Amino acid sequence: MKDTLWFNSLDTNFYQNKLFLLGEVHEVETSPRIDFALFTQLNEKIKIDVYLAEMDMAQAYYLQEYLKGSNNLELQNILKKWPVFIGTVSKQYRNKWEKMRAYYKLLPENSKFQLVGIDRIADFDLVRKLLKEKLPEKYHKEIQCENDSLISWSISNLTNIIQKEESKLSKNTIDLLTNIEFNLSNYAQTRSRDKFMYQNFKRMHEQNQWKNKNIYGGLGFSHTLQAYNYTFAGRIKKDTTLRYKDRMVSLNSLYVDSKLTVDSRALPKFMQDKGKEFTRLNYSQDNRLFMYIQGIADYKRVTDPKTISLIKLDAQGSPYLNSTRGTKVKKLITVWDAYDILEGTSTTDYAQYIFFVRNSDWIQPDEK
């Protein structure tokens, strides 16, 4: 089940981290492939205990069951309301989870991993289904059909129900129901997905005693930027109680001469494929009109077209240790958001590795 992508430059120091975050642009075809390849390599080298997924806990629960071999819920129905919008319609993403299922089956029991959803609730129907599976039948009629009513019911009743039935429930079920209650009760109060993901991570970190576990997260690019105090990675790095400041690494993806598939409605009209729900457009972060990363020519000089390359930014003597080269963005027309670089920071404060993807549409699964 190995991909031909194999990242030989990852050294002993890299594998001594405890939290590994892959930051991808979801809508590029190579993203699910890099995710699968990096995760399986890490799992082979050090065994990953926890896979953090950018989905809600009900979606992740059923996806974990799917990985274990369950056919009770089809993959397309698990992903139907996935926050990663392109992942709900992308063949590449479905293929990734199909490959992950086959890979999971091959693992010995002591090498299997737990898949955990940390995002805010996206699929309330799956939450209802999960509540009915985990709560005694006498409570099923109380579970509300309207989302707002379900939230109100959770705030008023779910904690009391858990306490009342505690002696009949396993610890895993109690933790799951408690986390569902937290996510429902805070759904309206916490709009920031990064904050929600961080809060869920911290809760489950304590519940499951992840202190010495190896944790991997395949997330969107912005969530893994470490320098900011409002991103998922930034919140974790700055939380002294979690102690990941020197034990986490972000590997973020940059792209040139590639393709992006997006919802046409998200684009200015002049960029849309007329009459089509999705638009496939050129995506190159050396484009001076829409997005130009200062210093991206450095990455192009040391790589070849039609490749995926892994570049270590924090190597000894690296110019990225003391500059923002390769990170700072300039643009004339705003189509995609770019983060402002914080004063006094350097490139390696945001990420320590770059996956540099060239000509994503031309890269085949059997190419290195």
Side-chain angles (χ1 to χ4, degrees):
M1 290 307 301
K2 289 182 183 176
D3 193 288
T4 51
L5 279 176
W6 190 260
F7 311 113
N8 295 308
S9 60
L10 298 174
D11 56 21
T12 303
N13 289 336
F14 172 82
Y15 290 111
Q16 288 176 351
N17 285 291
K18 303 303 289 182
L19 177 60
F20 303 84
L21 298 177
L22 169 65
E24 65 180 31
V25 173
H26 299 306
E27 294 82 5
V28 180
E29 278 194 356
T30 53
S31 294
R33 182 185 172 202
I34 291 173
D35 186 8
F36 179 81
L38 178 61
F39 173 79
T40 51
Q41 180 170 336
L42 279 165
N43 198 46
E44 179 171 318
K45 290 284 187 179
I46 60 171
K47 185 191 176 306
I48 295 295
D49 300 293
V50 180
Y51 182 115
L52 302 176
E54 192 177 337
M55 56 181 59
D56 71 37
M57 56 185 55
Q59 291 168 321
Y61 174 86
Y62 288 110
L63 187 55
Q64 173 88 71
E65 293 300 298
Y66 170 81
L67 295 182
K68 291 178 179 179
S70 172
N71 293 312
N72 291 336
L73 199 60
E74 292 183 1
L75 183 60
Q76 63 185 20
N77 291 326
I78 298 171
L79 303 179
K80 184 169 58 176
K81 295 181 181 179
W82 193 14
V84 178
F85 176 72
I86 194 65
T88 65
V89 296
S90 165
K91 181 179 178 182
Q92 284 77 15
Y93 275 98
R94 289 196 299 274
N95 285 345
K96 181 189 82 171
W97 292 117
E98 289 168 2
K99 286 171 62 180
M100 195 73 86
R101 174 173 162 135
Y103 174 74
Y104 189 91
K105 183 178 180 180
L106 294 174
L107 293 174
E109 284 302 316
N110 61 357
S111 294
K112 294 190 186 296
F113 56 92
Q114 179 187 9
L115 189 143
V116 175
I118 55 174
D119 211 339
R120 73 197 301 260
I121 294 173
D123 195 329
F124 281 86
D125 289 334
L126 284 186
V127 172
R128 291 184 186 92
K129 175 178 171 62
L130 188 51
L131 283 169
K132 288 181 179 179
E133 288 182 16
K134 298 302 179 181
L135 287 174
E137 188 174 353
K138 62 184 177 182
Y139 298 108
H140 290 186
K141 290 184 179 179
E142 295 183 22
I143 298 171
Q144 303 295 304
C145 295
E146 298 295 326
N147 295 347
D148 289 343
S149 299
L150 182 67
I151 290 170
S152 297
W153 171 81
S154 173
I155 293 171
S156 301
N157 299 310
L158 191 49
T159 297
N160 292 333
I161 291 172
I162 295 169
Q163 291 173 350
K164 187 176 180 179
E165 302 295 333
E166 186 174 6
S167 62
K168 303 172 188 175
L169 302 173
S170 68
K171 181 185 182 303
N172 287 342
T173 299
I174 292 171
D175 287 345
L176 179 61
L177 291 171
T178 301
N179 289 330
I180 289 174
E181 187 279 327
F182 174 84
N183 277 255
L184 285 170
S185 299
N186 289 277
Y187 180 81
Q189 284 72 34
T190 309
R191 293 294 183 183
S192 165
R193 287 179 60 213
D194 280 276
K195 184 177 180 180
F196 230 126
M197 289 163 68
Y198 160 72
Q199 290 174 334
N200 276 326
F201 175 81
K202 188 165 183 176
R203 285 171 57 82
M204 289 185 277
H205 193 280
E206 183 177 350
Q207 284 175 356
N208 300 290
Q209 300 180 344
W210 286 348
K211 181 179 177 181
N212 296 312
K213 301 293 186 182
N214 294 321
I215 304 172
Y216 172 90
L219 308 171
F221 179 90
S222 63
H223 302 305
T224 62
L225 298 170
Q226 296 179 10
Y228 304 105
N229 59 14
Y230 51 84
T231 61
F232 173 68
R235 290 173 187 271
I236 290 175
K237 188 165 188 173
K238 292 169 178 60
D239 188 330
T240 56
T241 65
L242 289 172
R243 300 181 181 178
Y244 280 108
K245 182 179 180 181
D246 300 315
R247 302 193 305 162
M248 64 185 293
V249 58
S250 291
L251 305 95
N252 286 0
S253 302
L254 297 180
Y255 310 86
V256 294
D257 302 320
S258 293
K259 293 285 186 179
L260 198 69
T261 302
V262 299
D263 183 352
S264 295
R265 295 168 298 181
L267 296 172
K269 285 193 174 181
F270 75 93
M271 296 182 66
Q272 296 177 8
D273 286 342
K274 190 174 180 181
K276 293 186 178 180
E277 185 179 359
F278 299 98
T279 297
R280 192 159 178 75
L281 43 81
N282 295 327
Y283 185 64
S284 198
Q285 291 172 310
D286 61 352
N287 185 315
R288 293 182 181 272
L289 187 61
F290 299 119
M291 180 177 288
Y292 181 77
I293 296 176
Q294 291 180 298
I296 200 166
D298 299 349
Y299 303 144
K300 293 175 71 173
R301 287 190 195 99
V302 297
T303 60
D304 297 319
K306 303 180 184 179
T307 59
I308 298 171
S309 302
L310 181 60
I311 299 170
K312 180 175 171 60
L313 300 176
D314 62 353
Q316 186 175 0
S318 166
Y320 305 106
L321 292 167
N322 301 299
S323 74
T324 56
R325 192 169 180 81
T327 299
K328 193 171 184 179
V329 175
K330 284 189 172 183
K331 60 185 183 298
L332 294 177
I333 299 176
T334 298
V335 176
W336 295 282
D337 291 334
Y339 283 73
D340 293 328
I341 300 304
L342 300 176
E343 187 174 349
T345 60
S346 62
T347 301
T348 53
D349 291 321
Y350 299 86
Q352 294 72 49
Y353 287 82
I354 289 294
F355 281 108
F356 195 60
V357 180
R358 302 186 63 173
N359 311 93
S360 62
D361 279 28
W362 291 94
I363 297 170
Q364 301 300 315
D366 60 345
E367 292 181 351
K368 294 185 180 180

